[in-house]
Amino acid sequence: MNRTPGLPLSRRGLIRTGAGASLAALGLGVGAQTASAAVATTKRFDLTQPSYDLFRSKDTHGARVQQSFAFDWVNKFLFVATKRTDSAESAGDLCINKMDFDGNYISYMHLNGFGHGVAFAALPSGSGTDLWIECAANGNGYGTALTPVRYTADTTLGSPAASAAYRPISGATEYTCSVDPVYQRMIVRYHTSAGKRIAVYPLSAFQTGSFGSPLVDFPQPTISGTAQGYTLYGSYMYYLTGDAYPGDGTPTGDGNTHVTSIDINTGTVKQGPVLTKAGSTLHYREPEGLAIYRTDAGEARLFIGFATGVEGDRRSSIFYKNALV
């Protein structure tokens, strides 16, 4: 098939399952409930335990708020998605910032017309990184398919058409994804006429582009608050909600940022919503993104991101929880 310049090539055997593919044969109807294959029960993060700093108030390439972030866990880089400067909210234009784990800015890549950036994944590929991210933004600025993009510093890439990307769920109209690097799975949040749903795949499905049936597929439970990100660790999904401090962004109390855990085998809330006070003294403090990383010493961490700082000079601040039960 034809690929938009800058996208990963067929060296990895990617096979599109979008328009023209027989999705019905893959058993991916949106009316399905939990898929037949269950995910083995794992430990989960105790959301009531303290959070710790990764970094606070770090510069990114642009001045606008971060939307989400993802770790390349092999090459040891962090990628932060921000809104592109001077771009309309509905345009779906993103700036991907490559940073080290101390929050030092390294380089950027512009992705025009891709989507809102609620969540994405950074998959190690040799010495480089393939970003799995939404693309083909609709009129509201949300991606209508998923695509891998080879991170290439200081470049600008236009979005492929949805028909040239990946749409593993029949009937879905919007997609985002996030990776569990510990248990090697990818979680997909997608929109249908009946609302938001969640599907989980083996990571190999994205590495080969051959999706098959998801391990689980369930309606997202109702959780109050503004959705700001999600991720997966083992048999639990984590869901972030909340808003920036009102007015001029001056810290007021502990804010309304909450994290909820969801059992992906039942599709029900396990813990929360739990208020997090991480970075509560930071200016503005809008919750933006969740991600999982395991340290070289073997400690699993649930990372929570915030857009902080003043208007016209927004910064990235990231914290983590590490208590498992």
Side-chain angles (χ1 to χ4, degrees):
M1 72 179 194
N2 294 326
R3 284 246 174 228
T4 301
L7 296 184
L9 302 177
S10 58
R11 70 188 187 280
R12 299 180 57 201
L14 295 175
I15 303 169
R16 178 169 57 86
T17 55
S22 178
L23 291 172
L26 298 178
L28 298 181
V30 297
Q33 297 298 313
T34 302
S36 58
V39 174
T41 301
T42 66
K43 289 186 175 181
R44 58 180 173 84
F45 291 96
D46 184 348
L47 304 177
T48 65
Q49 296 303 303
S51 300
Y52 304 95
D53 291 35
L54 179 65
F55 56 72
R56 295 184 180 218
S57 301
K58 295 296 185 177
D59 277 322
T60 56
H61 178 67
R64 296 182 69 186
V65 296
Q66 76 177 48
Q67 295 294 104
S68 56
F69 59 98
F71 292 95
D72 177 334
W73 61 94
V74 172
N75 296 303
K76 311 298 185 185
F77 291 112
L78 172 66
F79 295 86
V80 176
T82 63
K83 289 287 191 179
R84 186 167 177 179
T85 303
D86 298 325
S87 177
E89 286 288 323
S90 60
D93 296 341
L94 298 173
C95 177
I96 307 298
N97 300 263
K98 184 177 183 179
M99 307 171 79
D100 65 22
F101 286 2
D102 292 320
N104 296 310
Y105 168 79
I106 298 171
S107 62
Y108 77 93
M109 183 179 187
H110 284 160
L111 301 179
N112 290 343
F114 276 70
H116 191 76
V118 171
F120 69 103
L123 303 190
S125 177
S127 61
T129 306
D130 288 342
L131 308 175
W132 270 93
I133 194 164
E134 66 191 291
C135 65
N138 59 22
N140 295 319
Y142 289 87
T144 58
L146 296 169
T147 192
V149 174
R150 184 73 166 189
Y151 180 83
T152 307
D154 306 325
T155 61
T156 298
L157 183 66
S159 175
S163 59
Y166 295 85
R167 293 176 290 181
I169 307 292
S170 177
T173 56
E174 296 174 357
Y175 290 90
T176 53
C177 64
S178 181
V179 66
D180 175 356
V182 179
Y183 290 92
Q184 296 284 289
R185 298 187 183 108
M186 192 83 86
I187 183 169
V188 175
R189 183 172 180 250
Y190 64 97
H191 187 73
T192 74
S193 58
K196 300 291 186 184
R197 292 183 66 92
I198 307 298
V200 174
Y201 294 87
L203 184 55
S204 59
F206 284 75
Q207 293 167 327
T208 65
S210 181
F211 293 94
S213 297
L215 300 172
V216 295
D217 183 1
F218 59 91
Q220 178 182 294
T222 299
I223 300 171
S224 62
T226 303
Q228 299 285 17
Y230 67 95
T231 195
L232 176 72
Y233 176 77
S235 60
Y236 296 93
M237 173 187 179
Y238 297 88
Y239 189 74
L240 180 67
T241 58
D243 304 287
Y245 286 132
D248 65 358
T250 300
T252 52
D254 297 321
N256 68 348
T257 298
H258 291 80
V259 185
T260 302
S261 63
I262 299 162
D263 184 333
I264 66 171
N265 285 310
T266 64
T268 58
V269 170
K270 182 66 177 182
Q271 185 182 30
V274 175
L275 178 72
T276 177
K277 301 178 183 180
S280 61
T281 60
L282 288 165
H283 193 89
Y284 185 71
R285 191 180 177 265
E286 182 177 13
E288 297 283 7
L290 293 175
I292 296 293
Y293 181 80
R294 184 168 61 183
T295 67
D296 290 342
E299 180 182 273
R301 295 177 176 180
L302 170 64
F303 286 85
I304 307 168
F306 292 89
T308 57
V310 298
E311 178 71 30
D313 186 22
R314 301 298 190 202
R315 305 294 184 94
S316 175
S317 298
I318 296 180
F319 305 83
Y320 67 90
K321 291 182 179 292
N322 60 3
L324 291 171
V325 291

